[in-house]
Amino acid sequence: MKAIICFLLLSSFIPAVTPPVRAAPPPQKDYLTAVEADKIRDAENNSNERIRLFLSFAEDRLKKFQYELEHPSTNRHTDMLNSLLNAYVGCVDDAADLIQLGLEKQDNIRKGIDLMSSRTKEFLVVLEKLSAEGPEKELYKDNLDDAIEGTRDAMKDAEKAKKKVAPPPIRRKN
């Protein structure tokens, strides 16, 4: 009798049906939209394309930042400015990380390196102009300084990578 009571007490604490265990989806970068994250995943084996995508996302964030400065939102203006700058830096950093990874894997990433070199120069001009004469600088100065530093680092890394990457193949005439 005691065994039956013990069994009933114990079984009441064990759930009748255990929920299935599901693997968590891969974490998404918080500064990418779902569509952008899908584009990055779709370009999984093409480092040059992924670098191009990250740089285009960075450009998009920079344009949105400039738009927000010219047309301030009525609420969360400061948060919007700072989050756009952080997202910009995240995209540039991810592109720079892909270049380093491509160098380690000895992938053909010349196009990505060239694109990084040229685009970061363009981005730096815009960021330095904002630093010199941007409106409401006190709202986003720290993040702007980080964006400038991150862009300069990415540009320097791209220049170093140009020297490390294997030269393009030369076709020989037979």
Side-chain angles (χ1 to χ4, degrees), residues 6 23 36 38 66 78 90 121 123 126 144 163 170:
C6 252
E36 291 170 339
D38 287 343
Q66 291 171 304
T78 302
K121 288 176 186 170
F123 296 156
V126 172
L144 180 61
K163 296 173 185 170
I170 299 173

Side-chain angles (χ1 to χ4, degrees), residues 23-146:
Q28 179 181 329
K29 305 270 185 181
D30 59 349
Y31 53 84
L32 294 179
T33 65
V35 172
E36 291 170 339
D38 287 343
K39 287 180 181 180
I40 294 293
R41 273 191 293 279
D42 290 345
E44 175 179 328
N45 295 324
N46 187 342
S47 296
N48 286 316
E49 178 63 13
R50 292 178 86 190
I51 292 167
R52 185 194 67 75
L53 285 169
F54 274 119
L55 291 174
S56 70
F57 300 155
E59 178 182 28
D60 180 58
R61 301 315 187 269
L62 199 53
K63 285 181 180 179
K64 287 178 180 177
F65 179 83
Q66 291 171 304
Y67 183 86
E68 181 67 26
L69 281 176
E70 294 168 6
H71 306 90
S73 60
T74 55
N75 59 348
R76 299 189 56 234
H77 176 64
T78 302
D79 291 339
M80 181 70 73
L81 290 172
N82 287 303
S83 68
L84 285 168
L85 279 176
N86 285 331
Y88 162 81
V89 171
C91 291
V92 170
D93 285 347
D94 282 347
D97 290 345
L98 285 172
I99 287 176
Q100 292 305 316
L101 185 63
L103 287 174
E104 290 171 13
K105 289 180 163 182
Q106 297 181 353
D107 286 345
N108 179 3
I109 56 167
R110 281 186 295 284
K111 287 181 183 177
I113 293 170
D114 291 341
L115 187 61
M116 174 68 91
S117 182
S118 65
R119 299 305 300 273
T120 52
K121 288 176 186 170
E122 296 168 11
F123 296 156
L124 198 55
V125 168
V126 172
L127 293 169
E128 287 176 339
K129 183 177 179 185
L130 287 168
S131 180
E133 55 193 56
E136 306 174 295
K137 282 188 290 193
E138 67 281 352
L139 298 179
Y140 55 87
K141 182 177 179 358
D142 291 338
N143 286 318
L144 180 61
D145 291 343
D146 289 345

Side-chain angles (χ1 to χ4, degrees), residues 99 103 110 113-114 155-167:
I99 287 176
L103 287 174
R110 281 186 295 284
I113 293 170
D114 291 341
M155 188 169 52
K156 288 175 190 172
D157 290 347
E159 293 302 320
K160 288 179 190 174
K162 278 184 183 181
K163 296 173 185 170
K164 290 181 182 177
V165 73

